[in-house]
Amino acid sequence: MERPSKGILFLCVANSARSQMAEGLARMVLGDRVPVASAGSEPSRVNPWAIEVMREIGVDLSSHRSKSVQTIDPETVSTVVTLCAEEVCPVFLGGARRLHWPTPDPASTDESIPRDEMLARFRSARDAIRARIERFADEEGLRG
């Protein structure tokens, strides 16, 4: 099957957790049928908790890096999925279809949150995003 020239872009603010997990999950679910990327309006670093919970399901994010939405060529994107829930989502210029899947940010700078709770927060976000991607893949006829 020929790979489509335009793909899916997942956006959140820091491109550190939700959009990174969505990128990895979409690659897992969609394979090479659709190009997938992620970015943010204020890129930082890939969150170690995201790397850990994705590793649990066999998805390696350790080589991922946070990217700015400014670096994404609009000509390469047919669908933009924003994942912000309580913050302002990044803006993506271009003629892409826009979907909004609000997902609470599992990340926190509160060091008093126990490890088990942080893992639960990230697993919850991962699982919610995975369910949306699987539903999207089914609706779009993108499952192999």
Side-chain angles (χ1 to χ4, degrees):
M1 173 182 247
E2 186 176 322
R3 185 177 167 120
S5 60
K6 291 192 174 194
I8 302 169
L9 174 63
F10 294 97
L11 291 178
C12 67
V13 175
N15 189 220
S16 65
R18 294 166 292 183
S19 54
Q20 289 287 343
M21 290 190 292
E23 179 181 350
L25 289 163
R27 287 194 176 134
M28 179 183 77
V29 172
L30 303 173
D32 64 358
R33 288 179 289 285
V34 179
V36 176
S38 68
S41 55
E42 299 173 23
S44 59
R45 64 181 176 87
V46 180
N47 190 297
W49 296 107
I51 292 170
E52 184 170 346
V53 300
M54 292 299 288
R55 187 178 301 125
E56 292 174 351
I57 61 166
V59 177
D60 183 10
L61 299 184
S62 64
S63 65
H64 283 213
R65 61 178 181 79
S66 292
K67 299 163 290 299
S68 170
V69 67
Q70 305 287 337
T71 66
I72 305 296
D73 178 358
E75 293 300 314
T76 65
V77 179
S78 61
T79 302
V80 174
V81 179
T82 51
L83 298 160
C84 308
E86 56 281 320
E87 65 278 76
V88 177
C89 285
V91 174
F92 181 76
L93 302 176
R97 169 175 65 162
R98 284 143 178 35
L99 303 174
H100 182 59
W101 300 347
T103 307
D105 189 354
S108 175
T109 56
D110 182 351
E111 294 181 15
S112 70
I113 297 174
R115 173 180 170 75
D116 288 347
E117 184 178 330
M118 286 301 291
L119 288 170
R121 291 165 63 142
F122 275 82
R123 287 177 183 134
S124 177
R126 175 198 67 198
D127 296 346
I129 294 166
R130 182 178 187 171
R132 294 296 295 260
I133 290 170
E134 289 174 345
R135 189 169 40 236
F136 174 82
D138 290 340
E139 290 168 356
E140 299 290 317
L142 296 171
R143 291 269 201 157

